[in-house]
Amino acid sequence: MLRRHFLATLAAASAPLSLRAQTTGSPLPIKLALKCGMAQFGANLEEKFRILKELGYDGVELDSPGVQNKDEALAASKATGLPIHGVVDSIHWKIRLSDPDASVREEGLKGLLTAIRESHACGGSAVLLVPGVVDAKTNHDDACSRSIEQIHKALPLAAELGIHILIENVWNRMFYTEDGGNSQSAEKLVAYLDQIASPWVGSYFDIGNHQRFAKPAEWIRTLGKRIVKLDCKDWSVKGGFGKIGEGDIDWPDVRKALAEINYTGWATAEVQGGDPNACGEILAQMKKHLLGT
């Protein structure tokens, strides 16, 4: 009995950290952040960052371009010790890398390059990107080929500055199944990322965005190491997007899947924010449902 207990303890100790978290009940090694605009308080960014740090957040994510002055944001980050882990390319829906007009695609590329520079300037590691939209003017193959062409043009700068370009799964009709229905294919996203074939391009997996189509844990397992960062929110058939833990997502299965792929990156809340109490509640929800604490 003692020998079996010793061997079990030794095996658990030698397993990867995230698998130990799965088997021992300890929290997943994930850093928790929120979108900066969710924090609706503070006379300036330094005060906002200081309060977020006191609440227990590990970091924050900005928009690019956005209302936040990036020099002020970097100064606030240094003063408070709250990291800026990246930025969201905030023009990607309006000025699309998949647009039929080449001049529009070039404007979209300029926006992506700006986001890469601003993420680097703020100490971030990535840019969240919606690569395109399938609509009446653009079919799926064109959306993929046009966006990949523009992303390839951004790769030299991304590599030079050490910034990842991370593709978010959203309701943009890219990576949908062949039947044209309301379902997405993880395999199509995998093929898209693998076609780009760069260590600087990966998945920014939005857990809540995918619940409408299927279980997020299934996509997590399929995407595997391609997932570099997570967006965290909940979704239900009856109420749409809502508070983390109050939707239809099977959070224990999500935690299990993340442990299986040894995920250790950032997870950023993307829900309705508010005052410090509201943001503190969001952090508690992330810890309970995403980390299992």
Side-chain angles (χ1 to χ4, degrees), residues 18-37:
S18 55
L19 290 179
R20 295 206 303 271
Q22 180 184 347
T23 57
T24 66
S26 58
L28 293 170
I30 297 175
K31 291 185 177 294
L32 304 181
L34 84 172
K35 310 292 184 184
C36 189

Side-chain angles (χ1 to χ4, degrees), residues 97-281:
L97 298 180
S98 62
D99 197 280
D101 188 330
S103 64
V104 174
R105 298 198 298 273
E106 288 302 314
E107 285 300 310
L109 173 61
K110 290 179 182 177
L112 175 57
L113 294 173
T114 296
I116 291 170
R117 293 187 183 98
E118 290 197 339
S119 183
H120 176 261
C122 292
S125 61
V127 172
L128 182 155
L129 177 70
V130 175
V133 177
V134 175
D135 56 18
K137 300 186 299 181
T138 305
N139 63 37
H140 184 269
D141 289 346
D142 285 342
C144 289
S145 61
R146 291 169 186 165
S147 59
I148 287 174
E149 180 182 15
Q150 300 306 314
I151 291 170
H152 275 150
K153 295 176 183 178
L155 286 178
L157 181 65
E160 176 187 346
L161 300 182
I163 301 296
H164 288 87
I165 301 170
L166 303 181
I167 308 303
E168 185 186 26
N169 55 305
V170 294
W171 299 357
N172 57 346
R173 302 201 64 81
M174 288 184 71
F175 319 120
Y176 274 43
T177 52
E178 296 294 344
D179 60 11
N182 292 320
S183 183
Q184 287 184 313
S185 165
E187 288 76 15
K188 279 193 173 184
L189 178 54
V190 166
Y192 178 88
L193 295 172
D194 290 354
Q195 184 176 346
I196 298 172
S198 170
W200 298 106
V201 177
S203 167
Y204 202 126
F205 185 69
D206 190 307
I207 300 168
N209 277 351
H210 191 65
Q211 179 61 36
R212 172 187 169 189
F213 305 104
K215 293 181 178 181
E218 295 175 354
W219 266 49
I220 290 170
R221 294 184 175 101
T222 300
L223 289 167
K225 291 297 185 181
R226 297 172 185 84
I227 298 176
V228 180
K229 294 190 179 184
L230 301 169
D231 260 353
C232 187
K233 55 178 177 280
D234 217 322
W235 187 87
S236 69
V237 172
K238 293 182 178 179
F241 293 114
K243 292 183 178 181
I244 298 165
E246 296 185 4
D248 296 339
I249 292 175
D250 184 345
W251 288 103
D253 197 21
V254 166
R255 293 195 299 271
K256 183 179 179 182
L258 291 171
E260 288 170 6
I261 69 168
N262 294 319
Y263 182 77
T264 58
W266 286 92
T268 304
E270 189 182 27
V271 297
Q272 183 176 351
D275 63 15
N277 288 333
C279 290
E281 181 183 359

